[in-house]
Amino acid sequence: MTRSTKAGRIALKQGATIAATFLGLVLVTFLIGRVMPLDPVTAAVGPDVSQEIYDAVKEEMGLNKPLLIQLLDYIGQVLRGDFGVSFSTNQPVIRDIARVFPATVELAAAGVLIGTLIGVPLGVLAAVKRGTAIDGAVRVVTLVGHSAPVFWKGLILLVVFYAALDWANGPGRLSVYYEGVVPTRTGLIVIDAILAREWDVMRDALGHLALPAFSLGYGAAAYIGRMTRSFMLDQLRQEYVSVARVKGLSEFRVVFTEVLPNCAVQLVTTIALTFGLLLEGAVLTETVFAWPGLGQYMTKAMFNADMNAVLGGTLVIGVIFVALNLGSDLLYRILDPRTRT
Amino acid sequence: MTDISTGAFERIRTGLPSSPGEARLAQAWRGWQLLRASPAALTGLAIILALLLVALFAPQLAPETPYGQALDRQLVPPSWDHPFGTDEFGRDVLSRVINGARYTLYIVVLVAVIAAPVGLLVGASSGYLGGWIDTLFMRITDIALAFPRLILALAFVTAFGPGLNNAIIAIALTGWPPYVRIARAEALTMRKSDYIAAVELMGASRLRIILVHVVPLCLPSLFVRMTLDMAGVILIAAGLGFLGLGAQPPAAEWGVMLSNGKEYLLSGWWVATFPGLAIFFVCMGFNLLGDGLRDILDPRHEA
């Protein structure tokens, strides 16, 4: 009985944390919208209107109410998924975001996949060969991934693999002649093409995806590799590893059947966090590759001082980021028996 | 007492100081010995010293002014006259990269000067005072830590308006939470210590204890954290510059130069490549030094 009440208390506390964090995020975006030196009314109607029209629009936008009421209104709107109308597209921001977001998810997911497939083996290798030249080489590779700006990696990949070698396709998500060939179901073009059995379209989409996904995936691999190495080193120090070796297990089996599974929980949470980081990184990558996702949408909105669109995008990425952050923490508690006391 | 200079040096080197000043020097000497044992950290230190020197002597080091246009030599490939080539206005890329070091140093120093003291004071007070203040501050910090940094900085800059100083404020506004955590962790370990109890008995005020006795001891860990953070700060600043929200053209800021070079990728790869390399090396320097300092301060981490 005590155990279940304790679990309930923990769940309640976690729930309160999550609610407070989301509220904090909404509060910050609300405040950002208010500190803007540019008058939102002028942004909406232009500078050359009479005072009556100005006042009417101000009233309609709810900007003459007390700040606290405005905040409550804003929270209500956000909860209903209403981020206002974008000045530049004249569409509800939420509809714009629904249109462009799948492209960003596709890019970030491909980046995480590449990061995991490269990062985990590199980290395992470095931990097993600790202190050798291999460990040093992995350290250099991850250090470069950490230190090079993602948009610069993108530019170099474009020059080498698109312009010079012509191994990959250039900017955009699809070549012009394949546009509109497959029906949109998931919004992820590669998946949609597979569902429609259009293999040429799939190959073309993968050719476009490869370079931006690699420029993101390299940074992810650096982070995941570094974390994998340190998780593995923590485990390799444990007594059960010596026991397994004394039992006569091969080093390969010690690493892959004994040690690596014990890192799995930490790895899953790390990879979840990486996905959030890549959603952020995608904003910069999309500019380089003319990738029509949320990042490009937000960048365009920034130059038009289209605050509704910018804040809507910030909230969407922020909510997903926070959810992954807190979710991975929760996952860790659920999956790791040692945190249950 | 006859041979003070060598005597003092000997005492510092052997770790047997005879005055507070000597003790501090002895501490620094021990740290240097540890740092010297790590080639990676030394490399990082060398890169950062190089950044400092280049930024300091940029006008003397740069062969030309960073803004001198010469339309008769647009997009000239790297050669002996222009080791990094010239850009679309015929400006010498090497001179611009050298001057970019000043922008980077300016950004890094200002962000550190704004964000670190705030985090330090909040964290040290939170850890020393405890109770509801600690709970409140830590809740706020945890919430802020969960936010995506780059995106929030982007939103701030959009609201303030693009520009170098606004970008710096935006980065600092998103950068303080880790410093709060570090300073609080340090303050927590000392609040029950004997020497704090002794100062309390002597009747020191809470403000005095926090400022004079807690804050200085948080500094080493804070400094390590700052070094590790600087790479991230430079990357975000360059990203803002690249998107056109940070420093504005024609500023010879590395992010701005990269964004410029993006347009001439196929006709002049060198315009974007060299500022990118500069960002990369400086970030690597901060990462290497930060890792090295952390290993010295917290040997458990790598063991």
Side-chain angles (χ1 to χ4, degrees):
Chain A
M1 185 220 135
T2 45
R3 208 189 135 154
S4 67
T5 50
K6 189 159 187 197
R9 248 204 336 267
I10 291 175
L12 206 68
K13 215 173 147 189
Q14 283 283 327
T17 308
I18 292 171
T21 310
F22 283 131
L23 196 65
L25 190 65
V26 174
L27 184 66
V28 169
T29 48
F30 174 77
L31 288 177
I32 291 176
R34 304 295 132 162
V35 299
M36 196 161 92
L38 188 76
D39 183 0
V41 182
T42 313
V45 295
D48 311 315
V49 291
S50 66
Q51 191 64 36
E52 290 85 57
I53 299 182
Y54 181 91
D55 289 340
V57 172
K58 189 168 181 180
E59 170 122 33
E60 195 186 297
M61 291 170 85
L63 289 170
N64 50 359
K65 295 185 199 166
L67 211 57
L68 191 66
I69 305 291
Q70 286 187 38
L71 173 64
L72 292 177
D73 282 351
Y74 182 68
I75 294 174
Q77 282 172 13
V78 167
L79 285 179
R80 272 178 274 124
D82 174 9
F83 299 156
V85 173
S86 155
F87 299 139
S88 31
T89 62
N90 274 324
Q91 291 274 327
V93 169
I94 192 74
R95 202 179 301 164
D96 281 344
I97 291 179
R99 179 169 47 81
V100 295
F101 197 47
T104 301
V105 171
E106 185 174 43
L107 181 55
V112 168
L113 192 68
I114 292 172
T116 307
L117 290 179
I118 297 176
V120 173
L122 276 187
V124 170
L125 193 69
V128 172
K129 304 275 179 197
R130 175 158 179 256
T132 65
I134 296 178
D135 187 17
V138 171
R139 186 163 179 205
V140 171
V141 169
T142 54
L143 191 67
V144 172
H146 265 299
S147 307
V150 63
F151 43 95
W152 184 61
K153 283 181 267 190
L155 288 175
I156 291 186
L157 287 177
L158 264 182
V159 170
V160 175
F161 292 103
Y162 170 61
L165 297 173
D166 199 19
W167 287 358
N169 297 334
R173 287 180 87 187
L174 268 182
S175 301
V176 184
Y177 38 88
Y178 284 125
E179 251 164 51
V181 171
V182 293
T184 305
R185 283 184 219 172
T186 60
L188 315 176
I189 291 188
V190 175
I191 307 281
D192 283 344
I194 293 174
L195 290 177
R197 299 182 188 287
E198 292 280 358
W199 307 118
D200 287 343
V201 179
M202 186 198 76
R203 259 195 299 279
D204 185 70
L206 280 177
H208 280 93
L209 184 59
L211 294 185
F214 258 102
S215 31
L216 273 180
Y218 184 20
Y223 179 67
I224 294 174
R226 230 175 126 112
M227 298 305 272
T228 307
R229 177 178 181 273
S230 101
F231 298 151
M232 289 287 293
L233 285 181
D234 273 346
Q235 291 296 325
L236 285 168
R237 232 177 276 143
Q238 308 285 325
E239 267 179 29
Y240 74 86
V241 179
S242 316
V243 173
R245 283 186 184 137
V246 170
K247 273 199 322 198
L249 291 187
S250 69
E251 196 59 28
F252 183 84
R253 282 202 50 192
V254 171
V255 169
F256 286 97
T257 64
E258 306 278 321
V259 178
L260 195 55
N262 278 324
C263 302
V265 176
Q266 287 167 305
L267 275 179
V268 169
T269 57
T270 305
I271 291 167
L273 283 181
T274 313
F275 187 72
L277 290 174
L278 290 199
L279 280 181
E280 272 201 297
V283 172
L284 291 167
T285 318
E286 285 175 7
T287 317
V288 175
F289 290 94
W291 193 261
L294 186 56
Q296 224 192 18
Y297 174 73
M298 282 177 69
T299 321
K300 271 186 200 148
M302 282 168 201
F303 287 112
N304 298 327
D306 186 352
M307 219 52 207
N308 283 344
V310 173
L311 292 181
T314 307
L315 263 181
V316 167
I317 295 186
V319 164
I320 295 175
F321 193 91
V322 167
L324 286 168
N325 229 319
L326 301 174
S328 62
D329 194 40
L330 206 61
L331 198 68
Y332 188 79
R333 281 163 198 264
I334 294 169
L335 292 182
D336 192 337
R338 278 170 305 181
T339 58
R340 281 185 227 131
T341 41
Chain B
M1 284 303 278
T2 44
D3 197 358
I4 288 177
S5 60
T6 49
F9 183 70
E10 209 45 46
R11 288 199 296 278
I12 290 164
R13 232 168 43 117
T14 49
L16 293 167
S18 67
S19 72
E22 282 182 18
R24 241 167 253 143
L25 285 174
Q27 189 79 16
W29 176 256
R30 262 222 314 280
W32 167 243
Q33 292 293 355
L34 287 167
L35 197 66
R36 223 172 51 168
S38 155
L42 273 189
T43 315
L45 187 65
I47 293 175
I48 292 162
L49 285 179
L51 172 77
L52 280 173
L53 289 177
V54 169
L56 209 58
F57 297 108
Q60 285 77 35
L61 285 171
E64 295 179 16
T65 89
Y67 305 109
Q69 302 191 4
L71 296 179
D72 56 332
R73 50 161 218 220
Q74 291 166 320
L75 295 173
V76 176
S79 64
W80 283 114
D81 288 343
H82 304 286
F84 291 180
T86 65
D87 68 5
E88 74 276 19
F89 293 117
R91 297 174 296 200
D92 182 45
V93 175
L94 174 65
S95 305
R96 286 175 68 74
V97 169
I98 288 175
N99 272 275
R102 299 195 139 188
Y103 281 98
T104 299
L105 202 62
Y106 177 74
I107 293 166
V108 162
V109 168
L110 273 184
V111 169
V113 164
I114 299 171
V118 175
L120 179 62
L121 273 183
V122 172
S125 328
S126 188
Y128 172 69
L129 296 173
W132 65 269
I133 296 182
D134 186 34
T135 313
L136 179 72
F137 281 170
M138 290 326 287
R139 281 279 166 276
I140 296 174
T141 306
D142 281 343
I143 289 172
L145 259 181
F147 290 168
R149 218 179 147 182
L150 174 67
I151 296 291
L152 267 194
L154 284 178
F156 274 122
V157 180
T158 315
F160 298 153
L164 183 62
N165 291 330
N166 287 345
I168 290 170
I169 295 171
I171 298 171
L173 273 176
T174 58
W176 54 271
Y179 303 132
V180 176
R181 289 293 279 270
I182 292 275
R184 174 181 180 262
E186 290 288 328
L188 269 184
T189 61
M190 28 182 137
R191 68 188 280 213
K192 295 285 172 225
S193 64
D194 290 343
Y195 76 90
I196 294 285
V199 198
E200 278 170 352
L201 279 176
M202 285 163 76
S205 70
R206 287 173 162 189
L207 186 70
R208 184 181 166 82
I209 292 174
I210 291 172
L211 288 181
V212 178
H213 298 281
V214 177
V215 161
L217 288 171
C218 300
L219 286 178
S221 330
L222 189 83
F223 190 69
V224 172
R225 179 72 222 197
M226 269 163 64
T227 313
L228 278 169
D229 258 9
M230 284 310 126
V233 167
I234 293 171
L235 287 181
I236 295 181
L240 291 176
F242 180 74
L243 290 176
L245 294 165
Q248 298 294 310
E253 192 265 338
W254 294 337
V256 173
M257 294 170 68
L258 252 171
S259 160
N260 242 9
K262 179 182 70 171
E263 312 298 326
Y264 305 95
L265 215 49
L266 303 184
S267 46
W269 54 266
W270 52 90
V271 184
T273 304
F274 290 108
L277 271 176
I279 300 173
F280 163 60
F281 272 116
V282 171
C283 286
M284 194 166 73
F286 278 110
N287 276 329
L288 283 171
L289 183 65
D291 281 351
L293 288 176
R294 188 187 50 199
D295 292 347
I296 291 171
L297 221 65
D298 178 17
R300 261 177 321 127
H301 188 86
E302 181 67 355

